[in-house]
Amino acid sequence: MGKSKNGGSDASDKQQPAPLTSDSKTADRSFAAYPVPSKLAASSSTPYQRNSWLTSVDGPAMAVLTVLCAVTRLYQIGKRATVTWDESHFGKFGAYYLNRTFYHDVHPPLAKMLIGFSEFLAGHNGTFNFKGDYPSYVNYKFMRMFTAMFGIGLAPLAYLTCLQLNMSRKMCTLAALFVILDNGLCVMSRFILLDEPLLFFTAASLCSIAGFQNSRHKAFSCAWWRWLLLTGASLGCVSSSKWVGFLAVALVGLYTIEELFNMYTEFVPVKTVAKHFIARVVGLIAVPLVIYLACFKIHFTVLNKTGPGDATMPPAFQARLRGSPLSSQPFEIMYGSELNLRSMHPGSGLLHSHPHKYPEGSQQQQITCYGHKDSNNNFVLVKPAGQEFNYTAEPLVAVRDGDIVRLQHKQTKAMLHSHRAHKAPITTRDFEVTAYGKPQWKDPNNDWRIEIVKEESTVQDKNLHTITTQFRLRHAKIGCLLTAAAVKLPSWGFRQTEVSCSPANNLNAPASLWVVEKHINKRVPSVDMRPRVRSSFLRDFVRLNIEMARSNNALVPDHDKYNHLESGPITWPFLVYPMRMLGSWKKGDIKYYEIGNPVLWWSSTLACLLFPLQLAYYAARRMRGCSDWASPEEELHFWNVSKLLWGGWALHYLPFFLMGRVTYIHHYLPALYFALLFLAFQIDQFSKRWFGGKLATGIQFVWALVAVSVFYWFAPLTFGIYRWLPTWNIYKDPFAL
């Protein structure tokens, strides 16, 4: 139980409760602590507000902590000379920047560009595909050390953050030691991965917003602007590394909303509130957005050669890549030309067919959209049945707006077909589209009208052109539009995109718009397409982010199949299912096991889970008229620290319960960073409140000693020696079938 303001216990109702002062009410109401209460502002000696927060002690302390962190992160970092875990992905992505070949991934580019920069510094020539053992010409140790530097930077950042949150220097040191001595944070920093840059920028965001909060009493000063802009820059970097970094943006955003709201309710002049609002728009919205956009601009500028990610982007973008097969091809579409048609709807793909039939409905040959380049994407554009035409001998005839055409699947000779008799298999409001019939059949259900919607080249002649013409295909008999809205078919359709004929006249919907991506006609000379196509950075930026989101959402777990790497968020804080960091777990291999320091994980989890009860306890005591704080500023300090640390943990952890994508234990590491700092803060609060003096220092020392001991105990897990829980699959996997 806590103590009353008079020092007595509240166990007896005979004890007169301490009355609430006006300052304690202000401390409770002003969650963001703006403006600073008058007593706080007038006091320069309060331990919760430092005028000079860096002293001669802090530099050596941070240096020692940085060295200790470097020892744990760099020790035998090159022992396993084989590509390990996701190094096969991110090392390869880094090499793409060296080769300047375009690729596609679910994550923003900043952290991968940093990996590419490390490969450049290491002298890598970009030829290694990051599979198997590292060859002698690849300096993988340097690449791993480069990434480890971000992990090493967590220790001084943790110290600085706690210092900015006005915690004692002993607790700043303890918090940094918790970060250093966590086995999970340590092992993840020893490989070429994106997680350490993400963690570093997350920690930098927290440190910056803590510094901004600490300088709130000096609004618009140089220090205030410095911390504001550093916060914005850190948010831009963390969100440009992985999208989970937007959770840090959410934390700062909620803090800012609360701060501005409290300014308004504290009757700060409207003009002053407006200045604060504009400053935060510049620092916390404009700066991160510019950094995010700049990363993609660099990404597009560097990756100017055709590569494995071409198919995710529009044809106009592909045509501008060096070496792309789309950069040189016939421009004017003629009857008899062989075409690849791409839907303008993101994620739909290229018009496609194959010999497989629909299991229901007409049971005719399937028409789908397919995201990859394939010979089954080829269609020949011909005239309607009854209009005899020699496509190899007669003069070429251009395809014009309003023409009635047929599309013949080259491999199966079937015609693009639709009818009223059957509905589409998934989008049942639309009609089914199939491949049916033979070229000589006079079936009006095979006829489609060309409707040009937009011409992006300078040639405005109402003719159909490669890449630059967006058009609709309207069924000549039914009047419906050929549509591909990125709706996926079941397994009988190979998870490809459904193609239907929509009777809805949503004329400008991207799902009903098509472009000719590839054009083959030996009778028509090829031209350089690059001067003819227009590619806007903002349009490409939006398209790539949409494709990233689609790819990310497609990473769903297969609940019918066990995967020893995957785990659910409910298990992470309790360290139920650590993760093997190798696909093969053979005897004699050098093994790495993603497991945290159990004492730190379990105790930080307990601190975070009990915090709402702690709030309820303090609220109940306040309702009884009791105060648990020595001064209003002490209560204010508790709220200011808790809302950032516990709030950061909650925002970086709870959203994973809403995500449908596959999850792994390393997704918990950003939340863990907040939890470790919150644990140190709670230890400080508990020891000072209940013990104080040398005994409190002794408790802090014991925590540090336990953390060191457990870290040392679990350090050999790279060889698979110890386990504490039967679910830890170190020796054998108890869940493997």
Side-chain angles (χ1 to χ4, degrees):
M1 290 186 292
K3 294 180 180 180
S4 70
K5 192 172 181 179
N6 297 324
S9 171
D10 68 326
S12 173
D13 290 335
K14 296 179 181 180
Q15 175 68 41
Q16 181 69 26
L20 295 175
T21 67
S22 60
D23 287 318
S24 63
K25 293 177 182 177
T26 302
D28 179 62
R29 180 165 57 92
S30 184
F31 198 64
Y34 194 97
V36 181
S38 56
K39 288 188 177 181
L40 251 167
S43 173
S44 60
S45 61
T46 174
Y48 304 108
Q49 186 177 0
R50 297 188 180 98
N51 291 327
S52 178
W53 60 278
L54 277 179
T55 68
S56 59
V57 176
D58 298 317
M62 287 190 291
V64 171
L65 291 169
T66 303
V67 170
L68 289 175
C69 194
V71 170
T72 62
R73 270 57 176 175
L74 300 179
Y75 176 68
Q76 292 189 340
I77 196 169
K79 186 173 183 180
R80 179 179 168 86
T82 304
V83 176
T84 303
W85 198 42
D86 277 353
E87 286 185 335
S88 60
H89 298 301
F90 303 125
K92 180 174 61 178
F93 294 156
Y96 284 140
Y97 288 101
L98 300 182
N99 297 322
R100 307 193 69 174
T101 53
F102 190 79
Y103 72 95
H104 176 69
D105 183 44
V106 299
H107 303 299
L110 177 58
K112 293 172 291 185
M113 290 193 293
L114 290 171
I115 290 175
F117 181 62
S118 74
E119 295 182 20
F120 170 77
L121 294 178
H124 183 215
N125 58 14
T127 58
F128 181 56
N129 63 357
F130 285 84
K131 293 182 180 179
D133 295 335
Y134 283 106
S136 58
Y137 64 87
V138 176
N139 190 355
Y140 70 95
K141 293 182 182 179
F142 178 88
M143 300 176 195
R144 288 178 178 174
M145 290 173 64
F146 182 92
T147 308
M149 292 301 159
F150 292 98
I152 294 170
L154 292 179
L157 276 176
Y159 184 93
L160 283 174
T161 300
C162 293
L163 202 61
Q164 289 287 14
L165 293 173
N166 298 317
M167 294 165 60
S168 68
R169 284 176 169 79
K170 292 178 182 178
M171 295 316 302
C172 295
T173 304
L174 184 64
L177 285 175
F178 284 169
V179 172
I180 294 171
L181 298 172
D182 181 68
N183 302 76
L185 291 173
C186 179
V187 72
M188 289 299 292
S189 65
R190 298 169 61 83
F191 301 100
I192 307 169
L193 304 173
L194 306 186
D195 298 271
E196 287 312 301
L198 171 73
L199 283 166
F200 177 83
F201 294 128
T202 299
S205 300
L206 176 61
C207 183
S208 301
I209 193 61
F212 181 68
Q213 175 180 265
N214 202 36
S215 62
R216 64 191 181 277
H217 58 289
K218 298 182 290 186
F220 303 107
S221 65
C222 291
W224 186 89
W225 275 109
R226 180 173 62 249
W227 286 117
L228 177 64
L229 295 177
L230 279 174
T231 303
S234 300
L235 293 177
C237 290
V238 72
S239 56
S240 299
S241 297
K242 273 188 172 184
W243 274 352
V244 72
F246 281 108
L247 299 177
V249 177
L251 174 66
V252 174
L254 290 174
Y255 169 84
T256 302
I257 292 171
E258 180 208 33
E259 187 183 32
L260 293 172
F261 176 79
N262 280 305
M263 286 186 203
Y264 185 77
T265 58
E266 291 287 346
F267 300 104
V268 175
V270 175
K271 181 182 279 190
T272 303
V273 175
K275 289 180 180 178
H276 279 275
F277 176 78
I278 294 171
R280 284 156 179 78
V281 168
V282 172
L284 302 180
I285 297 178
V287 170
L289 182 60
V290 167
I291 291 175
Y292 191 76
L293 289 169
C295 288
F296 279 91
K297 181 64 176 178
I298 297 171
H299 178 76
F300 288 141
T301 301
V302 174
L303 304 182
N304 62 356
K305 296 180 182 178
T306 185
D310 291 12
T312 59
M313 297 299 289
F317 178 88
Q318 297 182 48
R320 296 181 68 86
L321 294 173
R322 291 169 55 190
S324 172
L326 305 187
S327 62
S328 179
Q329 54 182 324
F331 182 61
E332 294 280 351
I333 307 296
M334 304 292 178
Y335 283 98
S337 292
E338 184 179 327
L339 310 176
N340 287 171
L341 302 184
R342 177 174 290 277
S343 170
M344 293 300 292
H345 192 283
S348 290
L350 295 157
L351 192 65
H352 177 92
S353 188
H354 41 235
H356 302 279
K357 313 293 185 183
Y358 288 107
E360 298 178 352
S362 67
Q363 298 185 349
Q364 294 172 1
Q365 182 174 313
Q366 296 175 14
I367 288 285
T368 66
C369 270
Y370 185 49
H372 303 281
K373 312 222 169 153
D374 188 272
S375 59
N376 278 323
N377 301 338
N378 297 341
F379 288 80
V380 180
L381 191 148
V382 297
K383 287 179 173 288
Q387 298 184 21
E388 300 298 331
F389 190 82
N390 190 328
Y391 299 105
T392 59
E394 293 190 32
L396 294 168
V397 177
V399 180
R400 294 182 57 80
D401 183 28
D403 283 4
I404 303 296
V405 302
R406 291 183 301 163
L407 288 166
Q408 180 185 19
H409 188 242
K410 184 178 180 182
Q411 297 291 333
T412 62
K413 308 304 180 184
M415 313 302 292
L416 184 68
H417 177 95
S418 187
H419 41 231
R420 292 183 182 272
H422 300 283
K423 297 292 185 179
I426 306 299
T427 311
T428 54
R429 66 177 180 272
D430 295 351
F431 300 117
E432 182 187 66
V433 175
T434 69
Y436 175 74
K438 298 180 180 180
Q440 63 272 22
W441 289 6
K442 296 182 179 180
D443 187 346
N445 285 324
N446 298 340
D447 295 343
W448 302 82
R449 178 180 291 106
I450 299 286
E451 295 181 357
I452 293 179
V453 176
K454 185 179 181 181
E455 175 59 54
E456 295 190 336
S457 73
T458 57
V459 182
Q460 303 290 328
D461 56 3
K462 296 295 184 179
N463 287 354
L464 194 63
H465 302 131
T466 306
I467 296 179
T468 62
T469 307
Q470 296 181 19
F471 62 95
R472 294 187 294 263
L473 284 169
R474 185 181 297 276
H475 196 271
K477 181 178 180 181
I478 304 174
C480 55
L481 296 174
L482 190 71
T483 302
V487 177
K488 298 302 179 184
L489 293 169
S491 57
W492 54 258
F494 307 97
R495 310 290 180 187
Q496 295 175 8
T497 299
E498 177 193 48
V499 174
S500 62
C501 199
S502 175
N505 280 318
N506 191 358
L507 300 181
N508 294 318
S512 300
L513 296 179
W514 301 83
V515 294
V516 176
E517 177 173 292
K518 187 177 180 181
H519 177 198
I520 301 174
N521 193 323
K522 295 181 179 179
R523 301 181 64 193
V524 183
S526 295
V527 298
D528 186 359
M529 294 294 298
R530 286 175 293 182
R532 300 172 184 265
V533 298
R534 299 175 184 175
S535 184
S536 162
F537 164 70
L538 289 179
R539 184 172 61 184
D540 294 337
F541 165 80
V542 172
R543 178 60 178 264
L544 181 56
N545 277 262
I546 292 174
E547 293 295 341
M548 287 161 52
R550 294 189 60 83
S551 300
N552 189 67
N553 293 336
L555 299 174
V556 295
D558 186 349
H559 298 291
D560 297 327
K561 183 179 179 182
Y562 170 69
N563 189 325
H564 67 90
L565 300 176
E566 300 171 9
S567 58
I570 190 64
T571 67
W572 299 340
F574 307 102
L575 208 59
V576 178
Y577 300 117
M579 184 179 68
R580 296 176 176 181
M581 295 185 68
L582 296 99
S584 173
W585 203 255
K586 298 178 182 177
K587 186 176 181 180
D589 286 349
I590 299 174
K591 304 176 181 68
Y592 295 91
Y593 200 56
E594 169 62 2
I595 184 172
N597 186 317
V599 171
L600 294 180
W601 282 53
W602 294 336
S603 55
S604 63
T605 298
L606 185 64
C608 291
L609 294 180
L610 290 180
F611 179 67
L613 298 179
Q614 186 180 11
L615 295 184
Y617 169 76
Y618 287 145
R621 291 201 23 99
R622 174 172 285 277
M623 292 176 67
R624 293 184 60 190
C626 300
S627 175
D628 292 280
W629 311 101
S631 63
E633 53 264 30
E634 183 185 17
E635 182 179 12
L636 192 64
H637 172 245
F638 175 80
W639 285 113
N640 285 338
V641 175
S642 298
K643 70 182 178 185
L644 286 178
L645 299 184
W646 187 88
W649 171 81
L651 282 173
H652 283 78
Y653 173 54
L654 298 180
F656 282 97
F657 287 94
L658 305 176
M659 297 182 187
R661 62 152 292 166
V662 62
T663 53
Y664 308 94
I665 192 172
H666 69 267
H667 288 147
Y668 184 66
L669 295 183
L672 175 69
Y673 179 81
F674 287 91
L676 293 178
L677 270 57
F678 186 66
L679 173 63
F681 174 68
Q682 289 285 52
I683 293 172
D684 185 39
Q685 291 287 307
F686 180 82
S687 58
K688 287 193 301 185
R689 179 176 293 273
W690 291 99
F691 301 103
K694 294 182 178 180
L695 187 56
T697 302
I699 291 174
Q700 296 162 8
F701 177 78
V702 169
W703 270 97
L705 185 62
V706 170
V708 170
S709 302
V710 176
F711 177 82
Y712 179 77
W713 179 270
F714 280 91
L717 273 179
T718 50
F719 308 104
I721 295 176
Y722 306 118
R723 72 173 179 180
W724 284 6
L725 294 180
T727 53
W728 294 359
N729 54 350
I730 297 171
Y731 308 118
K732 63 180 181 179
D733 196 336
F735 304 99
L737 299 179

